[in-house]
């Protein structure tokens, strides 16, 4: 006996799906801004700060990277009220996701910063660039270019990971799905629709990251050192 | 009945952790098996197969794990059979792991320089022999660090199946919280147990990644 798919009851509640998707974007957007801020502070502390600060940030990173997001969420939402800090479900979700992303992005950004040799900064200064120009053109943009795939991948994982927030009934897409499922009893159809929405959002964001990458790294790579290499390149292109 | 959080509770959580470990191991074995096949077909298979696998990987990687778990949970039960959460949990985690590990291992196979294939070919090895004796041993060495690193993700990912009622470590924590009403103690202990499982793996992964450059490349 084959199961008859029926999407009509789910589609009737389409506005709730749209609202859920928007809420997911808002929730993960807030968490991403906060998480990247933590990551920047963390990465700079680890590379430029004193040893004790590097150690402290290292402990934070290891603690958050080696425990599940769901448990972090439960600890913040259910555990913190026990010591007197009461948060709304959405706030708890944003904090948990931000702290989680903060730990991962600290390490990613640190890898980027460490990939730029100090001599390159000195070379920039020797060329008469101002400190700000050196930070922008010699450190940030080249470092970002190196870590861009890892960083955007982590942002995608954060967007998708926000579905975990449904476990504490934060307002987002998966929670909206759970509500639709409980009114329509069309579980499979509901979660197929939800999956399609997440997939669409992910691909849309990948496209945006690609465009932003094109713009950020629009300056061409330095020209090849030898003329002969250029000639062979041209002849190969012509062949 | 309200109990207080004591040694008994920790024992209860450790039993839950046993299920987490078992589920992680199952996921790694089953997911790893398919991932290896997918990684090989993705790099060496005929074009339609390569595209199909690439599509599968892209779709799964763009879906939240929780939704994969729900789809398996409801999808399986709508096929007319009633599966226990254990099956849905295993299937969804294995599918998710396959998509990620296949991608990681494909990268490792593609990291082997083309000249290695050519050299093996020049030695009159067959395609299978080239893989078996030349490419895979080198790719295996490269893959060790990222693979152990992904095991950490697998262990953490198993926590999601708590939400369909499979009693592993996180679900055990939820149940215990309902009995003791001491969420701070309970979830801190749960987190500590996860950390005790994951941190050694993370540490090993970093070591394996670091050593790669130390070993002579040949």
């Amino acid at each position: 006996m084959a199961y008859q798919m029926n999407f009509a009851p789910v589609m009737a509640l389409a506005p709730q799906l749209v609202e859920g998707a928007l809420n997911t974007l808002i929730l993960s957007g807030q968490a991403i801004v906060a998480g990247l801020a933590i990551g920047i502070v963390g990465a700079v502390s680890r590379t430029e700060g004193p040893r004790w600060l590097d150690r402290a940030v290292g402990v934070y990173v290891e603690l958050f990277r080696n425990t599940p997001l769901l448990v972090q969420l439960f600890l913040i939402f259910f555990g913190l009220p026990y010591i007197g800090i009461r948060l709304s479900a959405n706030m708890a979700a944003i904090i948990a996701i931000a702290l989680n992303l903060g730990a991962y992005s600290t390490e990613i950004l640190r890898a980027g910063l460490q990939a730029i040799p100090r001599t390159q900064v000195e070379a920039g200064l020797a060329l008469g660039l101002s400190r700000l120009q050196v930070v922008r053109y010699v450190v940030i943009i080249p470092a970002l270019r190196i870590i861009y795939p890892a960083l955007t991948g982590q942002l995608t994982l954060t967007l998708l990971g926000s579905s975990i927030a449904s476990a504490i009934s934060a307002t987002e897409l998966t929670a909206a799905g759970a509500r639709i499922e409980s009114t329509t009893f069309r579980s499979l159809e509901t979660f197929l629709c939800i999956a399609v929405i997440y997939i669409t959002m992910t691909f849309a964001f990948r496209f945006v990251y690609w465009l932003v990458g094109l713009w950020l790294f629009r300056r061409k790579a330095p020209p090849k050192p030898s003329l002969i290499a250029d000639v062979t390149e041209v002849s190969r292109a012509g062949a | 009945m309200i109990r207080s959080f004591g040694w008994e509770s920790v024992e209860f959580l450790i039993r839950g952790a046993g299920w987490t470990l078992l589920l992680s191991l199952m996921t790694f074995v089953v997911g790893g098996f398919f991932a290896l096949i997918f990684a090989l077909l993705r790099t060496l298979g005929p074009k339609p197969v390569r595209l199909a696998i690439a599509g599968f990987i892209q779709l799964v990687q763009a879906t939240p794990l929780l939704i994969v778990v729900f789809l398996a949970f409801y999808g399986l039960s709508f096929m007319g059979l009633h599966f226990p959460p254990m099956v849905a949990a295993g299937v969804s985690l294995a599918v998710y792991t396959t998509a990620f590990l296949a991608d990681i291992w494909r990268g490792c196979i593609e990291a082997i320089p083309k000249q290695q294939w050519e050299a093996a070919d020049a030695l009159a090895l067959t395609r299978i022999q080239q893989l078996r004796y030349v490419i895979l041993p080198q790719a295996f060495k490269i893959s060790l660090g990222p693979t152990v690193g992904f095991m950490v993700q697998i262990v953490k990912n198993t926590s999601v199946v708590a939400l369909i009622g499979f009693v592993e470590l996180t679900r055990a924590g939820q149940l215990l919280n309902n009995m003791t009403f001491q969420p701070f103690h309970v979830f801190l202990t749960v987190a500590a147990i996860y950390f005790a499982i994951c941190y050694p793996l993370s540490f090993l992964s970093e070591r394996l990644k670091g050593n790669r450059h130390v070993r002579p490349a040949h």
Side-chain angles (χ1 to χ4, degrees):
Chain A
M1 183 196 71
Y3 175 73
Q4 290 294 315
M5 291 270 204
N6 181 3
F7 283 93
V10 179
M11 279 305 137
L13 298 174
Q16 288 188 33
L17 287 175
V18 174
E19 198 193 334
L22 287 177
N23 284 330
T24 280
L25 290 179
I26 293 168
L27 184 83
S28 43
Q30 287 169 312
I32 282 174
V33 170
L36 285 181
I38 297 172
I40 292 169
V41 173
V44 173
S45 314
R46 290 209 80 172
T47 46
E48 308 293 328
R51 202 175 167 76
W52 62 266
L53 192 59
D54 173 27
R55 285 279 173 80
V57 175
V59 169
Y60 153 70
V61 166
E62 293 305 339
L63 284 179
F64 276 83
R65 289 202 311 176
N66 287 298
T67 49
L69 176 59
L70 184 58
V71 175
Q72 293 162 12
L73 192 62
F74 283 162
L75 196 54
I76 288 170
F77 186 61
F78 297 118
L80 287 190
Y82 189 80
I83 55 168
I85 305 169
R86 198 168 289 278
L87 299 161
S88 70
N90 276 21
M91 203 27 134
I94 291 170
I95 292 176
I97 297 169
L99 285 172
N100 196 275
L101 174 64
Y104 279 97
S105 58
T106 292
E107 285 311 277
I108 294 172
L109 295 171
R110 180 174 77 132
L113 287 179
Q114 286 176 340
I116 307 298
R118 206 154 277 276
T119 48
Q120 207 154 301
V121 174
E122 288 162 8
L125 290 172
L127 283 173
L129 296 179
S130 70
R131 275 219 92 83
L132 214 63
Q133 284 175 318
V134 168
V135 168
R136 178 168 169 195
Y137 295 112
V138 181
V139 179
I140 293 185
I141 291 183
L144 210 52
R145 191 204 292 261
I146 295 168
I147 58 167
Y148 200 65
L151 191 63
T152 54
Q154 195 61 46
L155 295 186
T156 301
L157 283 178
T158 302
L159 174 75
L160 298 177
S162 71
S163 70
I164 296 284
S166 63
I168 57 166
S169 313
T171 46
E172 48 75 65
L173 183 54
T174 305
R179 222 169 29 248
I180 292 172
E181 190 247 330
S182 64
T183 50
T184 62
F185 298 107
R186 290 281 165 186
S187 322
L188 190 57
E189 291 89 334
T190 306
F191 289 112
L192 277 175
C193 289
I194 300 282
V196 169
I197 297 175
Y198 274 113
I199 291 169
T200 310
M201 288 201 289
T202 304
F203 285 154
F205 270 99
R206 286 214 189 123
F207 182 65
V208 171
Y209 296 146
W210 178 74
L211 286 180
V212 171
L214 278 188
W215 175 77
L216 264 180
F217 313 125
R218 63 193 178 282
R219 264 159 235 276
K220 292 201 176 65
K224 290 202 179 64
S226 100
L227 229 165
I228 302 163
D230 276 340
V231 172
T232 49
E233 197 74 23
V234 169
S235 62
R236 201 176 300 142
Chain B
M1 185 183 69
I2 296 180
R3 298 193 319 194
S4 69
F5 189 82
W7 177 240
E8 240 177 284
S9 311
V10 176
E11 256 183 27
F12 179 71
L13 290 179
I14 288 175
R15 268 203 300 280
W19 283 103
T20 289
L21 283 176
L22 189 69
L23 191 59
S24 305
L25 195 68
M26 254 172 49
T27 303
F28 181 70
V29 171
V30 178
F33 172 75
F34 286 106
L36 184 61
I37 296 173
F38 278 28
L40 288 174
L41 287 175
R42 175 80 178 78
T43 36
L44 307 168
K47 190 143 194 186
V49 175
R50 285 208 308 252
L51 283 177
I53 290 175
F56 163 80
I57 291 175
Q58 287 292 322
L59 283 184
V60 175
Q61 288 193 350
T63 312
L65 172 60
L66 182 54
I67 301 298
V68 179
V69 170
F70 281 160
L71 284 177
F73 187 59
Y74 295 115
L76 285 174
S77 58
F78 275 132
M79 286 196 300
L81 300 154
H82 211 83
F83 287 100
M86 173 91 180
V87 178
V91 169
S92 48
L93 286 169
V95 168
Y96 195 74
T97 300
T98 300
F100 278 86
L101 270 185
D103 219 15
I104 293 172
W105 289 348
R106 174 188 65 108
C108 296
I109 294 173
E110 285 176 358
I112 306 302
K114 202 166 155 253
Q115 289 86 338
Q116 293 284 331
W117 287 99
E118 292 168 353
D121 200 26
L123 289 172
L125 297 181
T126 64
R127 199 76 170 153
I128 301 289
Q129 286 174 327
Q130 292 170 21
L131 257 184
R132 164 76 183 79
Y133 295 107
V134 180
I135 305 302
L136 287 186
Q138 299 183 74
F140 177 74
K141 225 182 241 177
I142 302 174
S143 74
L144 277 177
T147 303
V148 175
F150 192 73
M151 282 179 183
V152 177
Q153 302 299 327
I154 294 178
V155 173
K156 295 195 299 175
N157 283 342
T158 59
S159 69
V160 167
V161 303
L163 301 178
I164 55 166
F166 181 82
V167 186
E168 37 63 76
L169 179 50
T170 303
R171 184 77 190 140
Q174 283 182 302
L175 295 175
L176 194 64
N177 179 34
N178 293 342
M179 289 187 274
T180 62
F181 294 106
Q182 285 179 295
F184 193 71
H185 297 70
V186 170
F187 290 119
L188 209 56
T189 313
V190 168
I193 298 175
Y194 274 111
F195 187 82
I197 299 170
C198 293
Y199 185 69
L201 287 174
S202 294
F203 185 77
L204 181 65
S205 163
E206 287 304 313
R207 286 295 287 271
L208 288 168
K209 280 181 203 164
N211 281 351
R212 200 175 79 223
H213 306 291
V214 178
R215 283 199 208 108
H218 47 101

